[in-house]
Amino acid sequence: MLEQSWNLFKTVHAKQYSSISEELQRRDIWTKNIAKIQAHNLEADLGLHTFTMKMNKYGDLSDEEFRKTMYGLKTDQRIEKNFDRHTFIPPSNIVLPAAIDWRKEGYVTDIKDQQQCGSCWAFSATGALEGQHFKKYKKLNTLSDQNLIDCSGKYGNEGCNGGYMDSSFQYIKDNKGIDTQDSYPYEARDGDCRFKAENVGANDTGFVDIKTGNETDLQIAIATVGPISIAIDCQHDSFRFYSSGVYDEPQCSTSMLDLAILAVGYDTINGQDYYIVKNGWGKSWGMEGYIWMSRNKNNQCGIATLSSYPLV
């Protein structure tokens, strides 16, 4: 049975290995991951978890390999004094909707796949700007993550080795725009800057930081502004193999953040509050590329620790 599953895994995810010894090593990692997933799902069936897990294309990677290629948030960057930074001031006397999903309003582009490149920060930044550009101009442009990877190095970003959303927003402001994905396609590797002003798909005039750790402000921002760039701790098998349901990981850190993603809404199910979050790991991960992250659970996974959006 396991042999059959392994062969299916290799076929579905087009896995090819350079030698028998490498395949044995990969299969060993995969077998351990299958066991973890099955054990978790048995417990979920008994009501011990609010989410399920599933095998995906990352099942044969070691933790170290996965960390090196699939994360990419750099939180140690200093925000320069000359950055056009503002602080979010929540509007007063606002009645928040019980639920919001910006995908239904046309603010959100298709799921992207960062592949083996630590470019989550670029995906998060373009996602927030795509939403704000749509809000102002009623036109949804898919923006070039590769443009940020190749061109924003002077702002502290390091391409596939990581970066930061606010630095990206500042680059876009100073650069007078960012190209569309069609004109500057994604390559999942560092390259030379090939920005062309005639291909600009959106621009910004600075950015707004939401008060760190404040989930109320984050919820208000999602409800009143649109999709928001956020960052989380994702270094758990439960996140790597997340399948469906409300993600609740007690081991999550509120400060050790390593993945930048995009909050596109929020809702409640069976009394559990959650954020609707867009990831950049392709449609085969999670729920067609999305995850429901726990909301109002003491800033679980640091979801409100580092959130911002661009001004358009």
Side-chain angles (χ1 to χ4, degrees), residues 78-85 170:
R78 298 268 178 271
I79 291 297
E80 301 294 334
K81 287 192 181 77
N82 61 349
F83 274 17
D84 204 332
R85 176 184 181 275
Q170 187 66 36

Side-chain angles (χ1 to χ4, degrees), residues 46-177:
L46 296 169
L48 299 177
H49 304 290
T50 55
F51 67 100
T52 59
M53 290 163 63
K54 67 180 176 186
M55 179 50 71
N56 56 36
K57 60 185 173 182
Y58 309 120
D60 62 346
L61 298 179
S62 70
D63 289 347
E64 193 185 354
E65 287 171 318
F66 188 71
R67 244 195 319 272
K68 213 156 82 177
T69 56
M70 294 311 301
Y71 298 174
L73 178 75
K74 291 178 77 66
T75 54
D76 54 355
Q77 286 176 280
R78 298 268 178 271
I79 291 297
E80 301 294 334
K81 287 192 181 77
N82 61 349
F83 274 17
D84 204 332
R85 176 184 181 275
H86 307 263
T87 303
F88 181 65
I89 299 164
S92 53
N93 304 323
I94 186 160
V95 180
L96 289 179
I100 188 104
D101 185 345
W102 290 112
R103 294 175 297 181
K104 294 174 182 171
E105 311 300 326
Y107 280 59
V108 185
T109 57
D110 275 352
I111 289 289
K112 301 174 181 178
D113 190 347
Q114 69 184 74
Q115 300 168 45
Q116 307 272 298
C117 167
S119 55
C120 61
W121 55 276
F123 284 59
S124 177
T126 55
L129 183 51
E130 286 161 354
Q132 290 310 293
H133 182 81
F134 176 82
K135 185 179 189 177
K136 186 165 182 179
Y137 299 105
K138 290 295 169 272
K139 188 166 190 274
L140 188 64
N141 288 341
T142 304
L143 303 174
S144 173
D145 309 288
Q146 195 66 42
N147 184 170
L148 290 176
I149 290 166
D150 295 343
C151 307
S152 64
K154 284 182 186 162
Y155 293 78
N157 292 331
E158 295 178 16
C160 286
N161 288 320
Y164 189 36
M165 293 79 83
D166 286 359
S167 303
S168 306
F169 299 143
Q170 187 66 36
Y171 157 77
I172 293 165
K173 181 197 176 205
D174 294 348
N175 191 55
K176 298 184 172 53

Side-chain angles (χ1 to χ4, degrees), residues 171-217:
Y171 157 77
I172 293 165
K173 181 197 176 205
D174 294 348
N175 191 55
K176 298 184 172 53
I178 177 174
D179 283 348
T180 61
Q181 184 168 271
D182 283 348
S183 67
Y184 199 151
Y186 188 64
E187 296 171 348
R189 59 188 169 86
D190 299 333
D192 296 328
C193 183
R194 288 154 285 160
F195 168 80
K196 289 195 176 111
E198 62 266 30
N199 295 327
V200 162
N203 198 355
D204 71 54
T205 60
F207 57 90
V208 177
D209 287 339
I210 295 156
K211 190 176 171 191
T212 187
N214 191 319
E215 284 199 68
T216 305
D217 280 10

